[in-house]
Every structure is written in structure tokens, then in C-alpha cells.
Amino acid sequence: MTAVAVCVAALAALTAVPAQAHGPDRHTSPHWSVKDTGTPDVRFRGLSAVGRDTAWVAGTLGTVLRTTDGGRSWRDVSPPGAGELQFRDIEAFDARRAVVLAIGEGEASRVYRTDDGGTTWTESFRNTDARAFYDCLTFFDHRHGLAMSDPVDGRFRILSTRDGGRSWTVLPDTGMPPALAGEAGFAASGQCLVSSGPKDVWLATGGASRARVLHSADRGRTWTVTDTSIPGGDPARGVFALAFRDRAHGLAVGGDFRPDQASPDAAARTVDGGRTWRPAGTPPPAYRSGVVWLPHSRTAALAVGPTGTDLTTDAGRTWRTVDTGSYDTVDCAPGHGCWAAGERGRVARLEH
């Protein structure tokens, strides 16, 4: 059994233990171990797990940090002059190469790439359309990737790269279905645009009458769209994050991000690539902004949000809260190593 499999089994067992019993078992049961980043004024919504020792985080105040020793120390590798930007997504290929997205209207939306661990950065894209607002990016491999903007002229805008984020091109919108009134993406965790395999990509939406997921099987050229079971009907509601472990099996989480509002039916799952979505029988108890499949497992995943972390061991049918700490995003490396990040400079690694 792999270390991650042991972690999954122990997490599942932990949820069956009464809450008052959790404390004494904390050092033997899987749990989030908070790592001191020294950045209490920063909120990290961008996260890329390279491995158990290496991870990148990106957030407010133009901040990008990197660790290569499991979170014991963090190097501030923020792009120079980016202090007024909000980084909401980062995709790292390894300890040296990464692409980071800043969000906002007009020129606030930018993309930077580094090839030397953040010692130097190159600005590879700056949005010049005042109507565009970029939310998320994803990569199929080390060369091919996409970024998405909220609708422009009634359709979501897709940006494409073929050289690892060194240059970008806006794709034609002829294959993009019309957006609903008020529909947009949520730049909450860097997971409103996710990919699996060489060509499949999914886009999560909210803010409209229905919360939907769009799917492309040709790297963003043409798209289909499906309603989900996650409630819409308000600018604060919808699908906030997606995760696919292959081109068929996916998870969606979201809800209403306002802390005084309930978020029923805040999780859904698909087994047909997003053509249909089924609500979780037992969803997370509150809004969740990030979700990830655990590596080496076909049924286990974690969802995070401001009020806690939830675990599923049955591929999204039921969820159980396993931690009450606040996190905005979560990511696991393909081999091993799961991380979470959020407000007040909080970054944690899953320990077992």
C-alpha cells in the first residue's frame, strides 16, 4: 500500500472517531501541518504542488513563494514591480519552471513565466481589452495550456499557449456557447479551469440563473455546456472548483461564498466527462472553493473552504469534514504530496 493510500485509509477512519478524540491522535493521524510562510498579510489562492518537498503559492500583494524543503523555509520569488497585482493561479512544471496568473479588469490581468525558480520572470501576456477579466489557467503538458476570461461579447474568452506560457493567443469564440446573463468564473482557487489528458478541459461557472460546466475535447476550440446540480441564481453562487482524475470522472464544488449564507448541495460528481452531473448524497456542510483527487486513488478526494476540509472515499457520493481550518485551495502532486493554502499566509502539507 502506498503512503497516500495509507493516508486515505487513516483519514476515513478518523472521520468515524468522535470529535473530542481527535486531539490525542493528531500526531499519528493524517492532518494538515501548517507551515510558517512569514506572510500574514497575504491570501494565497494560487497553489501548485510539485511534490512532497516542493510547492509554489501565489496570492495578494503580488506575492509568489516557493519551498523546496517541505515548507520548512520559503523563498519570496515575487515578480519585481508586481506589488499591486492579485495572483490567483499558478501552474508549476517543476522546482524551476512556473507560470503565474494575475487577475483583474484590463491590464491587471497578466501572465508571468519563470525558468530559474523565480529569480527572474518574463511577462508573457498583458490584457489590453478592458472588457476581459481572466480568472484561471491550466496546462495539458509542459507546452500546451489555456487561460480563461469572463465573457466578452457574450462568450467566455479563451487564451492559448503552445510554448509553455512564453506567448499567448486569443482563440476564436465561434465554438463557445453563449454565456448566460451574469455568468462568470470564480477566481477563488485557480480551479475554475482544469484539464485532464492531452486535450480535455473543463470550465466552471457561476453568478447566473444556473451553475454550469463547459467541456472541450480539442484544447478549447469547441465547447459543450451542461447544467450542474449546484445551485445558482445569485452572483455569489455557483461552481467554484473542478477536479478530474481522468477524462470521465470529475468532481465539482462550490456554493455561496458569503459566510452568512447556507450552501446546500455544494458538491456534484460526473462519470461521463461532464455530460451529466449528480449531486452528492452527503455534500460538504458549507461553501467549498477547492477540490483535488488524491493521487493513487480512484475514489478519494479532498475539498477545502474557509470553514474546513472534507474527505470523500467514494468518489464524491458522500463527504465528511476532517479539519476545520480555513483554506481556499488544495493541490496534490501526481506522485505524492498534498498541500493547501489560504488566508493570512496559511500554507499546509498533508502529514501522515
Side-chain angles (χ1 to χ4, degrees):
M1 183 178 288
T2 67
V4 172
V6 172
C7 212
V8 172
L11 273 170
L14 182 61
T15 62
V17 179
Q20 60 269 26
H22 288 183
D25 297 331
R26 182 159 183 80
H27 294 293
T28 57
S29 300
H31 61 277
W32 289 123
S33 175
V34 177
K35 310 298 181 180
D36 183 13
T37 64
T39 56
D41 297 329
V42 177
R43 187 165 195 163
F44 293 115
R45 294 184 184 270
L47 166 66
S48 188
V50 176
R52 182 163 171 77
D53 292 327
T54 301
W56 300 67
V57 290
T60 54
L61 304 177
T63 306
V64 179
L65 305 182
R66 184 192 64 151
T67 183
T68 56
D69 58 10
R72 289 190 296 273
S73 64
W74 294 85
R75 180 184 172 195
D76 186 340
V77 295
S78 307
E84 295 184 359
L85 299 179
Q86 291 197 49
F87 291 126
R88 294 292 182 91
D89 199 355
I90 188 166
E91 301 291 332
F93 306 120
D94 50 39
R96 296 185 61 81
R97 298 175 296 166
V99 178
V100 64
L101 171 72
I103 62 111
E105 296 178 348
E107 293 191 0
S109 285
R110 306 179 194 180
V111 178
Y112 295 82
R113 177 183 166 110
T114 182
D115 290 292
D116 55 14
T119 300
T120 61
W121 293 86
T122 300
E123 182 183 307
S124 58
F125 173 76
R126 182 179 297 205
N127 174 46
T128 57
D129 190 333
R131 301 169 298 171
F133 186 114
Y134 286 85
D135 299 293
C136 294
L137 59 83
T138 189
F139 277 85
F140 303 96
D141 51 43
H142 287 189
R143 295 176 55 210
H144 300 90
L146 301 176
M148 59 79 67
S149 163
D150 290 340
V152 176
D153 294 329
R155 299 175 192 271
F156 285 94
R157 175 169 288 181
I158 303 297
L159 200 63
S160 174
T161 181
R162 298 181 180 180
D163 55 13
R166 295 178 177 88
S167 63
W168 298 84
T169 303
V170 176
L171 294 181
D173 67 1
T174 52
M176 176 66 71
L180 301 175
E183 193 171 26
F186 289 112
S189 61
Q191 296 176 329
C192 59
L193 185 73
V194 301
S195 57
S196 180
K199 294 184 177 181
D200 287 276
V201 59
W202 295 264
L203 189 162
T205 83
S209 58
R210 307 188 302 277
R212 309 194 297 173
V213 172
L214 287 73
H215 171 236
S216 171
D218 56 9
R219 290 183 182 160
R221 296 284 178 178
T222 60
W223 298 78
T224 56
V225 62
T226 305
D227 292 351
T228 72
S229 57
I230 294 177
D234 188 278
R237 297 178 191 155
V239 181
F240 281 71
L242 298 168
F244 277 79
R245 66 173 173 82
D246 53 40
R247 68 191 312 263
H249 298 85
L251 301 170
V253 300
D256 191 318
F257 69 75
R258 295 170 296 189
D260 61 339
Q261 297 295 312
S263 291
D265 302 319
R269 62 188 179 91
T270 180
V271 296
D272 56 13
R275 288 191 293 273
T276 59
W277 291 88
R278 299 178 182 178
T282 305
Y287 156 72
R288 295 293 181 253
S289 55
V291 63
V292 67
W293 290 93
L294 293 180
H296 309 300
S297 174
R298 297 175 62 84
T299 58
L302 292 171
V304 301
T307 62
T309 298
D310 303 293
L311 169 74
T312 178
T313 56
D314 54 15
R317 293 175 178 84
T318 61
W319 295 84
R320 297 178 180 179
T321 301
V322 295
D323 187 274
T324 56
S326 174
Y327 297 102
D328 293 312
T329 187
V330 61
D331 191 33
C332 294
H336 56 84
C338 294
W339 298 77
E343 62 183 345
R344 298 179 182 176
R346 284 171 60 89
V347 180
R349 186 178 69 176
L350 190 65
E351 305 289 356
H352 50 80

